[in-house]
């Protein structure tokens, strides 16, 4: 849109995304130099609106960034009191003892939190330091300099016509330029995806791997509530159909986070991740906990699972990728927020030194060196083989061989070296003819719910007249290719019911995109077997509005 005239504002550092990585970077920059001009742009209607997390926080990132966070009132109010690991079968469960597990799996010293509330608190700390934070400002384009460097972003475009064109009521937004631009968009961010492709940042690395995380908040019977209790499960109902598992975290006020993760490298296109989650809640152990309670919120989000060997190069001229834009989740621990915070701190320190030396628009190589050689790299390197072992040889091998590998890595070596991931998650999908359809029980409306009912508990909203933010490269592919070959899995992998095949008597099947339902999980961008769907950011403020997720 180079023909569009926009006003421009100049900053030292422009940060896209007010998650833990972006806010940590903003805070650290102002700690280092109060005179730096720092802006944070957040597409959600408020800071925290789009934050969905497993919500057990390792405070090491916060300790490094704001050592006196307790006295400053950080909302870390529920320390973990006990850890429980179970292997589920259809009718029962087996407790896995804690003592054989590597020390890194211990949750002692961690906190059950709402990451949305943590980010809201971090935003307050940043603003007190003088950081400018603009929620409801989606960044739709990158701005490139004459030498090909990233020099800024376009933010605040509103009122586009339905076809994406500029009309009489369109607000063209503005350009925000920085000496450096930090992208902390979370998993599979649209601008980060563009940067990775443009500068070939994934070259020489394993493909990134992903999971789909779904979460509900429940209010349960006080007699069943155990504040500070953490439970993880594996096995049923997924079995050999897919990798993944669940988490159940008891926080304050008789509330429980109930979550379910499905690894997106599953082969069977008939698999329905959302229904696996709903089925899980009918396991006797889970049903007994939830019966008599009520679900009060729902959300879903993709999770980066590739780890150490899948992290792309993190810097290009003028730009750095932070947190889950790189993929810094420790998969066996189901934790990445601490690494996101540490990455923001490291990027800020590299940018501060560069700006102090009168540099701009170059590569912040010191940031990459810090991440790979520092605490983040050490954390991820120890667990780098757990996910590929699970993917290649199954859950039992992951528990035994992966557990052994984590133990030896704790001692400083690995008998396996670095196991490769292989193909990406889209390529892992096999043709429908090779697999049997899966018959899922209907939701009962008490423990389990249909997708559209649950989406209403995510407070998702999109302006219906705006362009669809789920772009099809070829509108014919869903019906002509994906339907006959893969039984069009978009109908099932989407946890919000965005995609459907409509079949009416006497007419050809139609592929319908209900983008208003989208909770921004980005699973479609990842799992579509034809790689025909691209998620782009809608106008600012649209999407879910998670109050305490």
């Amino acid at each position: 849109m180079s023909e569009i005239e926009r006003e421009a504002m100049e900053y030292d550092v422009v940060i896209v995304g007010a998650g833990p990585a972006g806010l940590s970077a903003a805070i650290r920059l102002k700690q280092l130099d109060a005179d730096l001009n720092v802006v944070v742009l957040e597409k959600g209607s408020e800071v925290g609106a789009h934050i969905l997390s497993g919500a057990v926080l390792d405070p090491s990132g916060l300790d490094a960034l704001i050592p006196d966070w307790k006295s400053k009132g950080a909302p870390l109010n529920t320390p973990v009191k006990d850890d429980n690991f179970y292997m589920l079968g259809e009718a029962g469960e087996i407790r896995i003892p804690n003592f054989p597990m590597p020390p890194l799996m211990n949750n002692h010293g961690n906190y059950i939190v709402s990451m949305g509330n943590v980010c809201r608190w971090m935003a307050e700390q940043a603003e007190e330091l003088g950081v400018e934070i603009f929620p409801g400002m989606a960044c739709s384009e990158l701005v490139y300099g004459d030498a090909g460097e990233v020099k800024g972003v376009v933010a605040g475009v509103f009122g586009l016509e339905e076809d994406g064109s500029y009309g009489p009521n369109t607000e063209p937004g503005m350009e925000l330029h920085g000496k450096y631009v930090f992208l902390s968009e979370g998993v599979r961010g649209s601008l980060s995806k563009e940067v990775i492709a443009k500068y070939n940042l994934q070259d020489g690395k394993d493909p990134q791997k992903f999971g789909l995380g779904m979460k509900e908040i429940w209010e349960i019977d006080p007699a069943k509530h155990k504040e500070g209790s953490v439970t993880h499960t594996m096995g049923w109902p997924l079995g050999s159909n897919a990798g993944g598992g669940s988490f159940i975290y008891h926080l304050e006020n008789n509330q429980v986070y109930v979550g379910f993760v499905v690894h997106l490298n599953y082969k069977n296109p008939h698999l329905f991740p959302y229904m696996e989650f709903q089925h899980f809640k009918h396991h006797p152990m889970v049903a007994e906990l939830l019966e008599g309670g009520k679900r009060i919120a729902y959300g879903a989000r993709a999770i980066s699972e590739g780890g150490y060997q899948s992290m792309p190069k993190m810097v290009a001229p003028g730009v750095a990728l932070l947190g889950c834009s790189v993929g810094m989740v420790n998969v066996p621990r189901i934790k990445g927020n601490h690494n996101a915070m540490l990455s923001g701190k490291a990027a800020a320190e590299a940018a501060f030194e560069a700006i102090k030396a009168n540099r701009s628009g170059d590569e912040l190589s010191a940031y990459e060196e810090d991440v790979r050689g520092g605490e983040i790299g050490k954390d991820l390197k120890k667990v780098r083989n757990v996910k590929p072992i699970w993917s290649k040889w199954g859950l039992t091998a992951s528990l035994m061989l992966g557990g052994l590998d984590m133990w030896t890595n704790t001692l400083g070596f690995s008998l396996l070296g670095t196991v490769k991931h292989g193909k990406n998650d889209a390529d892992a999908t096999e043709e429908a003819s090779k697999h049997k359809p899966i018959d899922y029980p209907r939701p009962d409306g008490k423990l389990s719910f249909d997708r559209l009912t649950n989406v209403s508990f995510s407070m998702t909203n999109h302006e219906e007249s705006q362009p669809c933010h789920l772009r099809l490269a070829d509108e014919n592919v869903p019906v002509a290719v994906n339907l006959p070959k893969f039984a069009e899995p978009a109908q099932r992998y989407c946890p919000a019911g965005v995609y459907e095949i409509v079949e009416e008597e006497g007419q050809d099947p139609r592929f319908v995109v209900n983008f208003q339902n989208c909770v921004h999980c980005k699973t479609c961008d990842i799992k579509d077997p034809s790689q025909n769907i691209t998620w782009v950011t809608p106008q600012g403020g649209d999407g879910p509005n998670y109050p305490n997720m």
Side-chain angles (χ1 to χ4, degrees):
M1 299 293 179
S2 57
E3 71 278 6
I4 303 298
E5 292 187 7
R6 298 185 176 94
E7 294 183 13
M9 295 182 66
E10 302 294 329
Y11 290 89
D12 290 305
V13 180
V14 174
I15 300 172
V16 180
L23 291 170
S24 295
I27 289 168
R28 186 60 179 151
L29 283 162
K30 297 295 278 188
Q31 288 174 339
L32 291 166
D33 185 347
D35 294 328
L36 288 174
N37 292 317
V38 181
V39 64
V40 179
L41 304 164
E42 166 56 38
K43 67 182 174 68
S45 59
E46 62 171 321
V47 173
H50 290 180
I51 295 293
L52 185 80
S53 164
V56 168
L57 178 65
D58 175 344
S60 59
L62 209 51
D63 289 339
L65 183 71
I66 308 175
D68 56 345
W69 55 264
K70 286 186 180 180
S71 64
K72 288 181 178 292
L76 280 67
N77 304 318
T78 308
V80 175
K81 295 178 181 177
D82 62 85
D83 263 331
N84 305 284
F85 298 88
Y86 289 94
M87 180 69 72
L88 299 188
E90 186 170 1
E93 68 278 347
I94 298 173
R95 172 122 188 227
I96 302 171
N98 294 55
F99 71 85
M101 296 187 181
L104 61 89
M105 295 296 290
N106 189 343
N107 273 309
H108 178 74
N110 297 330
Y111 293 82
I112 301 171
V113 300
S114 159
M115 277 310 299
N117 287 341
V118 171
C119 287
R120 293 178 182 99
W121 175 83
M122 291 179 70
E124 293 173 1
Q125 309 309 303
E127 288 179 324
E128 287 179 7
L129 293 169
V131 176
E132 295 181 37
I133 301 176
F134 298 126
M137 290 285 281
C139 298
S140 53
E141 298 177 48
L142 292 167
V143 179
Y144 295 97
D146 295 337
E149 80 282 9
V150 175
K151 77 169 189 177
V153 296
V154 175
V157 178
F158 290 94
L160 292 171
E161 300 293 297
E162 284 192 51
D163 63 359
S165 63
Y166 279 61
N169 297 316
T170 300
E171 298 177 27
M174 62 190 314
E175 293 186 4
L176 294 98
H177 299 166
K179 294 171 183 173
Y180 295 98
V181 175
F182 290 172
L183 299 180
S184 53
E185 302 173 285
V187 176
R188 198 77 164 190
S190 53
L191 301 185
S192 302
K193 187 178 173 183
E194 179 180 332
V195 164
I196 290 169
K198 178 179 177 64
Y199 297 104
N200 302 311
L201 302 186
Q202 201 69 42
D203 285 3
K205 314 295 183 184
D206 271 16
Q208 186 58 265
K209 306 292 285 185
F210 299 93
L212 170 60
M214 298 158 283
K215 188 171 85 173
E216 296 171 354
I217 302 179
W218 280 71
E219 287 183 355
I220 65 169
D221 181 345
K224 302 176 184 178
H225 188 252
K226 300 177 181 178
E227 185 172 311
S229 178
V230 166
T231 296
H232 293 98
T233 78
M234 294 171 286
W236 189 88
L238 289 171
S240 60
N241 285 325
S246 82
F247 57 87
I248 302 173
Y249 304 152
H250 293 243
L251 60 158
E252 308 132 278
N253 303 319
N254 300 315
Q255 291 188 347
V256 177
Y257 293 142
V258 182
F260 199 79
V261 177
V262 178
H263 300 170
L264 289 176
N265 62 346
Y266 60 83
K267 297 177 182 179
N268 184 351
H270 297 294
L271 188 83
F272 199 155
Y274 175 84
M275 291 306 298
E276 296 283 350
F277 175 30
Q278 298 306 304
H279 195 193
F280 156 77
K281 290 182 290 175
H282 286 274
H283 186 276
M285 183 182 82
V286 185
E288 192 279 330
L289 175 70
L290 299 181
E291 281 172 351
K294 64 178 180 178
R295 164 232 35 200
I296 58 174
Y298 167 74
R301 184 60 50 87
I303 304 166
S304 59
E305 294 186 338
Y308 185 79
Q309 56 269 58
S310 294
M311 292 193 298
K313 184 180 177 184
M314 301 167 206
V315 294
V319 64
L321 307 181
L322 277 55
C324 279
S325 294
V326 174
M328 297 181 179
V329 172
N330 183 313
V331 172
R333 297 183 72 202
I334 321 180
K335 291 178 181 62
N337 288 307
H338 63 299
N339 285 335
M341 292 178 185
L342 291 172
S343 77
K345 178 176 178 290
E349 290 168 354
F352 165 71
E353 293 295 338
I355 293 169
K356 188 170 68 171
N358 294 317
R359 290 164 42 205
S360 65
D362 59 348
E363 293 191 1
L364 292 172
S365 56
Y367 163 58
E368 176 125 12
E369 292 166 5
D370 190 322
V371 169
R372 295 192 187 274
E375 292 304 311
I376 298 172
K378 292 175 184 176
D379 183 51
L380 297 179
K381 194 170 184 179
K382 290 176 183 177
V383 301
R384 67 191 182 280
N385 291 328
V386 174
K387 176 63 166 65
I389 289 172
W390 194 336
S391 300
K392 291 174 185 290
W393 301 306
L395 175 57
T396 302
S398 179
L399 285 172
M400 300 182 70
L401 189 56
L404 175 63
D405 190 67
M406 283 193 287
W407 266 113
T408 61
N409 271 287
T410 300
L411 301 173
F413 69 96
S414 172
L415 298 172
L416 302 175
T418 298
V419 181
K420 298 293 185 182
H421 286 296
K423 60 184 70 173
N424 66 38
D425 293 332
D427 291 340
T429 312
E430 294 182 347
E431 294 186 18
S433 60
K434 295 182 179 180
H435 300 274
K436 294 180 179 180
I438 302 172
D439 185 24
Y440 291 97
R442 292 174 62 88
D444 68 354
K446 298 177 182 178
L447 293 178
S448 50
F449 312 96
D450 66 83
R451 280 184 296 186
L452 296 186
T453 298
N454 242 357
V455 167
S456 71
F457 283 78
S458 69
M459 305 302 177
T460 291
N461 179 67
H462 293 87
E463 174 57 51
E464 293 190 17
S465 63
Q466 71 176 286
C468 175
H469 63 281
L470 302 161
R471 309 277 175 82
L472 302 182
D474 185 337
E475 293 186 357
N476 296 311
V477 163
V479 171
V481 178
N482 284 358
L483 184 58
K485 194 172 182 180
F486 303 103
E488 186 43 277
Q491 302 173 90
R492 292 173 293 279
Y493 61 57
C494 174
V498 169
Y499 304 101
E500 59 179 323
I501 293 288
V502 176
E503 299 186 71
E504 298 170 327
E505 187 175 352
Q507 298 185 28
D508 292 333
R510 293 183 294 115
F511 186 66
V512 177
V513 181
N514 305 298
F515 75 88
Q516 297 89 347
N517 297 349
C518 181
V519 294
H520 298 194
C521 74
K522 305 172 190 170
T523 302
C524 53
D525 195 300
I526 296 161
K527 186 59 177 172
D528 180 65
S530 299
Q531 288 291 270
N532 190 52
I533 303 174
T534 298
W535 184 95
V536 299
T537 184
Q539 66 185 23
D542 283 3
N545 195 349
Y546 300 134
N548 295 300
M549 297 292 264

